Amino acid sequence: MNVHVEPPYAAPVVAIVGATGAVGIELIRSLESRGFPLSSLRLLASARSAGQRIAFRGNDLIVEELTEQSFAGCDIVFFSAGATISRRFAPIAVRAGAVVIDNSSAFRMDPTVPLIVPEANGRALTPHAGIIANPNCVAAIATVALAPLQRCWSISRLNIVTYQSASGAGAAAMEELRDATAAALNGEAHSPTVLPHPYAFNLFSHNAEIDPETGYNGEELKVVEETRRILAHPRLPIGITCVRVPVLRAHSLAISVRFDQYVSPESVRAQLENAAGVRLVDNRDANHFPMPSEASGIEDVLVGRIRTDLGDPTGQTIAMFVSGDQLLKGAALNAVQIAETLLTQTAKAA
């Protein structure tokens, strides 16, 4: 790794693979909005996207075609172009001296690759061998809310139902939702091409492939495995159902958390009130709780509807509702926060 940072931070050379996609655009915006201390930014994408211009810090950057020679001189490379591209090009970037922060599923369950949500397990970032994995969007959003609770009380089981937005399926799915909604409002027919079912005014089981043995789909299995890994709880029982809903970009989760002891809703609120990355939205009088419309475009994960789960007569289960921006905390923002944590830890070790 050739990132060497000393206070004040040296400014690394940064590249983004998949810069023109939905997450790539949010990576660019997050680097700019958070004032990430880079010296230069390279935008990489497929040949068909090469030549596009994207604004960054008052200048237009030209998108370059991704090749095996693209990483010379790079210090940090964000990958957001799918697992196939990551598996091929991430090792090349590492050999060129860069640290890779990968947003695909390619390396998430590799025991040699840290899987990081900085608020939950930032200390697990090092050691690494040049690649750091960014989690599945649901696992990232969920663990921001769960990690502060786990630090206080032992979690013995999770049950999660997700309400996942179009952005999780990419920019094309977001456009399909817009088009389908406009057609429905105009009384016109619309045939889906990106997702398998009509999207406007509808919801359906997440479209990931179903595992014939368990009956769970690939999204659900990823969330289970990754949540366990982030929380360092490899045998944590997790039940989950993932549903696609007609929302543009923020995921919501209904979570029931069973603890090894009685935990009151008041103590959970107190623990979450000052937790990093969490914003409490829990106003019973106004019936105001987390909503994807309010989570969209903000960095914090909204947590509320905190109450004792009446389905558990022991009183050891807390139910809550969570909303988080899938493109931000579920993808681009978390990746940028990983890079920030990397710089901070490198500076302290120097």
Side-chain angles (χ1 to χ4, degrees):
M1 149 175 157
N2 65 349
V3 178
H4 182 72
V5 184
E6 295 178 352
Y9 292 153
V13 176
V14 175
I16 298 174
V17 176
T20 59
V23 175
I25 294 298
E26 292 298 334
L27 277 166
I28 296 167
R29 292 172 177 167
S30 291
L31 290 169
E32 182 164 14
S33 67
R34 293 177 69 85
F36 188 83
L38 54 81
S39 61
S40 64
L41 178 62
R42 300 178 187 173
L43 305 183
L44 306 170
S46 65
R48 69 177 179 271
S49 297
Q52 291 186 30
R53 294 175 177 270
I54 299 178
F56 179 71
R57 293 181 179 174
N59 297 304
D60 281 346
L61 302 183
I62 298 175
V63 177
E64 304 171 30
E65 181 181 357
L66 172 66
T67 71
E68 294 186 358
Q69 289 72 47
S70 295
F71 308 109
C74 290
D75 299 307
I76 299 173
V77 181
F78 297 99
F79 272 74
S80 187
T84 300
I85 294 295
S86 292
R87 291 190 189 100
R88 177 184 172 188
F89 285 97
I92 296 172
V94 173
R95 288 196 294 271
V99 174
V100 167
I101 300 172
D102 181 47
N103 195 54
S104 80
S105 62
F107 306 104
R108 289 174 183 161
M109 297 312 295
D110 184 331
T112 69
V113 175
L115 181 68
I116 300 298
V117 175
E119 298 94 335
N121 67 337
R123 293 182 180 179
L125 194 153
T126 53
H128 63 80
I131 299 176
I132 302 161
N134 205 32
N136 169 278
C137 46
V138 173
I141 291 166
T143 54
V144 169
L146 292 170
L149 306 182
Q150 183 183 243
R151 294 185 188 113
C152 286
W153 309 286
S154 177
I155 296 175
S156 61
R157 176 178 166 80
L158 297 174
N159 193 72
I160 303 172
V161 178
T162 73
Y163 308 83
Q164 294 182 230
S165 61
S167 59
M174 296 173 75
E175 191 61 28
E176 180 158 287
L177 176 56
R178 293 187 184 97
D179 292 344
T181 303
L185 291 173
N186 288 325
E188 301 169 355
H190 182 275
S191 298
T193 59
V194 179
L195 293 170
H197 304 291
Y199 207 176
F201 305 104
N202 190 28
L203 55 84
F204 46 87
S205 178
H206 192 283
N207 48 293
E209 185 177 355
I210 299 290
D211 174 48
E213 182 176 342
T214 65
Y216 282 74
N217 63 45
E219 179 80 353
E220 292 161 348
L221 295 175
K222 282 192 291 186
V223 174
V224 170
E225 293 173 346
E226 294 177 30
T227 299
R228 287 170 172 167
R229 191 164 183 226
I230 294 163
L231 296 178
H233 199 328
R235 293 184 177 84
L236 178 63
I238 301 176
I240 185 167
T241 300
C242 291
V243 178
R244 187 78 74 186
V245 298
V247 170
L248 274 177
R249 60 177 286 167
H251 288 356
S252 297
L253 297 77
I255 306 177
S256 287
V257 190
R258 182 179 170 89
F259 300 98
D260 283 345
Q261 64 188 79
Y262 170 77
V263 177
S264 71
E266 293 74 23
S267 60
V268 169
R269 287 190 199 94
Q271 185 63 20
L272 291 174
E273 192 165 17
N274 298 310
V278 170
R279 182 183 303 181
L280 274 183
V281 181
D282 198 40
N283 188 336
R284 293 182 179 183
D285 292 338
N287 200 9
H288 185 181
F289 303 108
M291 294 181 283
S293 61
E294 294 184 349
S296 295
I298 70 167
E299 295 186 349
D300 290 336
V301 170
L302 309 184
V303 183
R305 201 83 211 281
I306 300 166
R307 63 207 188 276
T308 298
D309 188 334
L310 298 180
D312 178 4
T314 70
Q316 295 175 215
T317 301
I318 290 290
M320 59 187 185
F321 198 74
V322 174
S323 291
D325 191 309
Q326 184 274 331
L327 291 175
L328 289 176
K329 191 56 197 175
L333 170 65
N334 195 73
V336 172
Q337 290 175 314
I338 289 172
E340 293 170 345
T341 304
L342 175 70
L343 295 187
T344 300
Q345 293 184 359
T346 305
K348 290 179 179 178

